[in-house]
Amino acid sequence: MAKRQSGRGNGLKRRRGTRRTKRTFLVLCEGAVTEPEYLYALRSLREVNEVASVEIRVDRARSGKVPLPLVEAAIEVKEQIEEVDEVWCLFDVEAPQPHPNLAQALARARNNGIEIAVSNPCFEIWLALHFDKHNAWLSSDEAVRLRQRRDGSTGKEVDGQRYMPLRDRAVQNARDLSDSHAKNGKSFPRDNPSSGVYRLLEAIERGTSKGS
């Protein structure tokens, strides 16, 4: 039986007869504003949007869920949309009270070919890492305040022009945190602070002139 194609008005259905020249990343985010705005800024870069063999789509219709329902939505869309190379979920751990069913969400993703980028405690630590390193444990509220001190923001919006030139620093800082946690035996969800968003950027930029 052929897989169903689903557009749902959000541009996910690929037109027939077009030559496929780009790898397609479909991303579902827990957050409805900050994460999508960051990804829109990323895909607007010339090396990603024009030169790269990469296409980034943010499925806002299925985003805005806590981890397990978000992963279930990702599995659903992966089954419906044929021409998507990688489906990713971006979600948070949250602290001091973690989201429920985190282990189940990771297992479901792993068993169904869904890539995961988890931020601990939340996506704001990824934004803060664009400016400098941070190694101390953070609650979600503290991570938000840290990000605000770094970029002067007062809300959830992301100034892409400020962040995009700093993304290499963020990738390195996040990778260093991951290595440090591994060295100290701190596995998920004890790896606070950390962010796996660097893995998504590395996957995307492998297809660009910068990453080739």
Side-chain angles (χ1 to χ4, degrees):
M1 180 179 294
K3 293 183 180 179
R4 292 174 294 153
Q5 297 283 341
S6 173
R8 298 194 182 184
N10 57 10
L12 294 178
K13 185 175 182 180
R14 187 180 295 275
R15 292 175 295 177
R16 295 182 183 277
T18 59
R19 184 180 180 185
R20 187 180 182 192
T21 60
K22 294 186 176 184
R23 293 172 62 230
T24 303
F25 291 77
L26 177 60
V27 186
L28 286 74
C29 307
E30 177 186 334
V33 178
T34 311
E35 294 95 318
E37 287 195 358
Y38 183 92
L39 292 171
Y40 292 148
L42 179 65
R43 77 178 185 186
S44 71
L45 295 174
R46 182 176 182 273
E47 61 265 37
V48 172
N49 187 47
E50 296 180 5
V51 178
S53 57
V54 167
E55 181 179 352
I56 305 170
R57 301 175 183 177
V58 181
D59 189 348
R60 297 192 82 156
R62 294 178 179 85
S63 294
K65 298 177 173 67
V66 295
L68 185 56
L70 188 72
V71 170
E72 297 293 351
I75 294 170
E76 176 189 356
V77 73
K78 187 173 186 288
E79 293 173 347
Q80 292 175 340
I81 310 298
E82 290 184 347
E83 295 189 0
V84 174
D85 295 296
E86 296 185 24
V87 179
W88 285 73
C89 284
L90 271 61
F91 59 77
D92 303 336
V93 172
E94 299 293 357
Q97 182 60 47
H99 277 308
N101 303 315
L102 284 170
Q104 294 92 322
L106 291 179
R108 287 285 289 158
R110 182 172 57 251
N111 292 336
N112 288 274
I114 305 297
E115 299 289 344
I116 294 294
V118 181
S119 295
N120 191 356
C122 56
F123 188 75
E124 279 74 13
I125 184 59
W126 167 251
L127 297 179
L129 291 173
H130 285 67
F131 299 94
D132 53 32
K133 296 179 182 292
H134 185 88
N135 299 303
W137 188 96
L138 290 165
S139 69
S140 297
D141 288 342
E142 289 169 337
V144 170
R145 291 194 293 271
L146 177 66
R147 176 258 172 124
Q148 291 173 340
R149 290 197 299 272
R150 296 295 185 264
D151 69 3
S153 64
T154 58
K156 292 181 176 295
E157 292 75 16
V158 173
D159 181 354
Q161 290 187 339
R162 185 170 188 188
Y163 274 93
M164 291 303 104
L166 303 175
R167 67 191 189 280
D168 284 348
R169 181 186 300 171
V171 167
Q172 186 61 57
N173 287 340
R175 190 189 296 115
D176 288 347
L177 276 176
S178 179
D179 292 343
S180 176
H181 288 312
K183 180 179 179 180
N184 293 321
K186 291 185 177 180
S187 58
F188 175 86
R190 296 174 54 246
D191 55 348
N192 179 329
S194 64
S195 179
V197 179
Y198 79 92
R199 296 178 51 249
L200 173 60
L201 265 68
E202 288 182 332
I204 288 171
E205 300 212 53
R206 278 198 296 270
T208 70
S209 57
K210 173 184 173 181
S212 58

